[in-house]
Amino acid sequence: MENFVYNGNPGRVIFGRGTIARLPEEAERLKARRILVLSTPEQAEQASAIARHMGSRAVATYSKAQMHTPVEVTADAMRYVEQHAIDALLSVGGGSTTGLGKAIAFRTDLPQIVVPTTYAGSEATPILGETESGRKVTKSDPRILPEVIVYDVDLTMTLPVSLSVTSGINAVAHAVEALYAKEANPIISLMAEEGITAIARALPRIHSNLGDEDARADALYGAWLCGVCLGSVGMALHHKLCHTLGGMFNLPHAQMHTAVLPHAIAYNADATPAAMARLGRALGAADPAAGIFDLAKGLGATMSLKDLGMSDGSVDAAVEQAMSNAYWNPRELEKRGLTDLLERAFRGDAPKTA
């Protein structure tokens, strides 16, 4: 076995059904007395209902979270933090709300309790991606990592099939990159394979039966594992491309990750045979890139970036930005190869595999 370094991020996880009933005791553990409840506009009602578990501790609500965490939204939310003397945050929802909570925590070091309602997985990472002036920039810092995650399977039971699929594939992307990250290690690789396996097993069952409790639990469990993977090792080509596209075109987050992932896997496949072997085993596919494409498309996901809102004639500009200040990647970033990758993803073609 080769030498490796493993860093375990601190954090408390409550997993199960009906676990939101434990929110008051988690707030007490953090000595939180004045909590700001965060959500998107679409989940404001759900967030308010969950916040009622906190009683008088929930002193204010901010329901304007947006995907890709625009800095102007964070600045607006910071005014609520100051006006209400907030001493803790409760984020209810998916990656957009979690991102806003992280952005506030990065600026204030306030403790965070996150109640995920999708399979985003970002709640398990100390990574924040913020968008300003059409560019999404990521940073990692201990202040960004939430202190407590309360996973309640019951909250995911009505998550629409379409969002369940793309949210799940988005989580898979975290683990895929962890398998071939520069800092990859045996512990994270075990978690990555287990997380991908759980989600790949769950999504077809959710597609067939929205109310399959065991499948919902598998998907949420897998999403957590995949998030831990991303939070423990670095990112590579897939996340760089998605951060570029998200910042430039404001594409829907989970759907964009779903459309790009098969092509990023295909680009790196020959350079990462051990990672591809694990990924193929997790997916039950001889060709992992084709396997993830077929899984997503077969479950109804939109696989064309054009259909998601990317502009005609914009591939070259996206490639230029992605290659500037690029993340480490197992295969050298080549302009021609990246252009072909994004053109295929733009059209919604199957990945180009060896």
Side-chain angles (χ1 to χ4, degrees), residues 5-30:
V5 175
Y6 169 72
N7 286 311
N9 289 318
R12 179 172 168 85
V13 173
I14 315 296
F15 189 99
R17 302 197 64 178
T19 51
I20 57 171
R22 298 180 60 173
L23 283 173
E25 64 185 87
E26 295 306 315
E28 183 62 33
R29 287 184 67 258
L30 295 174

Side-chain angles (χ1 to χ4, degrees), residues 26-56:
E26 295 306 315
E28 183 62 33
R29 287 184 67 258
L30 295 174
K31 297 180 170 56
R33 296 292 182 269
R34 299 186 62 81
I35 298 173
L36 176 61
V37 183
L38 304 172
S39 78
T40 60
E42 295 79 9
Q43 291 189 277
E45 185 175 343
Q46 183 183 32
S48 295
I50 291 172
R52 283 198 283 272
H53 287 274
M54 293 296 196
S56 61

Side-chain angles (χ1 to χ4, degrees), residues 32-33 66 78 150 287 320 341:
R33 296 292 182 269
Q66 294 182 24
M78 285 294 296
V150 178
D287 182 337
E320 290 295 334
L341 184 165

